[in-house]
Amino acid sequence: MSPTRHAPDTESAGPRRHLALLVPLGVVLVAGGLFGLVYTGLATLTSMLVFGWLLLVGGVVGLVQALESRGTGAFWPAAVVAALNIAAGFVVIRHPGESAEAFTMFAALLFLTGGVFRLVGSAVVRGPRFGWSLLQGAFGIVLGLLVLFDWPRSSLYVLGTFFSLALLFDGLGLIAAGVGGRGAAGPAADPAPGSGTGREAAPEGVRHSGARPSEPDQKRPDS
């Protein structure tokens, strides 16, 4: 038995194993997204706590890197940014509700200003995608106004809805990548035994008795 016969199975076992891990991770994210869409208030507080811890950990890492770069021109800017991240992380973790209100106001203003700029830009330029840009601008303005008119009560569900939708679509993407990748990484079919190069072997009689059509017929000597 040839030792290289099972090489494709061995090489593809690793990628298939890693791709198989994407499916359960995607299922967990989809479940978390659906749960967050049902309990948007809890999802909002969770997203604020996650964001606060990310700021805190990132600030600590940035401070360590700044201390390692002492004596250089990048020390003070890195130290100031790290200190601001640490302070913001503490504030968000200690006051997640008030932080959600502030972030919701910022998101509403972002939607509103982005919609206005997109609406005015599409009306001035009038490019090939004029109708689509006009619709996007109007949608951004309406969304921003709806969030602002319902503020601060809208802070209980706006961020949680966005966070849950992000989890849901990320989970669906991981499931699709895991299922499609496992099918694409399947082992190639082994060649038939005794074929050598993988081509179909011709019968013994045909292989030895067939004429070569590419050679011209030899002239027979006149009798």
Side-chain angles (χ1 to χ4, degrees):
M1 182 180 295
S2 177
T4 60
R5 178 90 176 265
H6 300 284
D9 295 337
T10 305
E11 294 176 357
S12 60
R16 284 204 307 269
R17 190 180 302 112
H18 292 296
L19 289 172
L21 297 177
L22 297 179
V23 177
L25 179 59
V27 171
V28 172
L29 292 181
V30 169
L34 294 176
F35 181 83
L37 289 177
V38 176
Y39 302 98
T40 53
L42 182 60
T44 298
L45 294 179
T46 303
S47 63
M48 287 294 97
L49 291 176
V50 170
F51 183 67
W53 279 108
L54 288 177
L55 285 176
L56 186 60
V57 173
V60 171
V61 173
L63 186 60
V64 171
Q65 292 179 350
L67 292 176
E68 292 178 353
S69 63
R70 285 179 298 179
T72 63
F75 169 72
W76 286 110
V80 170
V81 172
L84 290 176
N85 287 335
I86 293 174
F90 271 119
V91 170
V92 173
I93 293 173
R94 291 290 301 273
H95 306 283
E98 291 80 358
S99 301
E101 293 180 0
F103 278 103
T104 303
M105 174 66 73
F106 177 75
L109 294 176
L110 188 64
F111 287 138
L112 189 60
T113 54
V116 170
F117 277 106
R118 189 180 294 273
L119 192 67
V120 173
S122 61
V124 171
V125 176
R126 292 183 178 273
R129 302 179 61 186
F130 167 72
W132 181 248
S133 299
L134 197 68
L135 182 61
Q136 285 181 326
F139 179 76
I141 293 175
V142 171
L143 184 59
L145 290 177
L146 288 177
V147 175
L148 282 178
F149 288 159
D150 201 25
W151 191 85
R153 195 171 67 91
S154 59
S155 62
L156 297 177
Y157 59 86
V158 171
L159 297 179
T161 302
F162 291 160
F163 181 69
S164 302
L165 287 176
L167 288 179
L168 180 62
F169 287 113
D170 286 343
L172 291 176
L174 288 179
I175 292 175
V179 173
R182 282 192 301 176
D190 292 335
S195 60
T197 59
R199 299 177 181 177
E200 186 178 357
E204 189 72 19
V206 177
R207 187 167 50 188
H208 291 286
S209 62
R212 287 179 287 181
S214 59
E215 296 182 357
D217 296 335
Q218 298 180 356
K219 296 182 179 180
R220 290 180 296 179
D222 296 334
S223 57

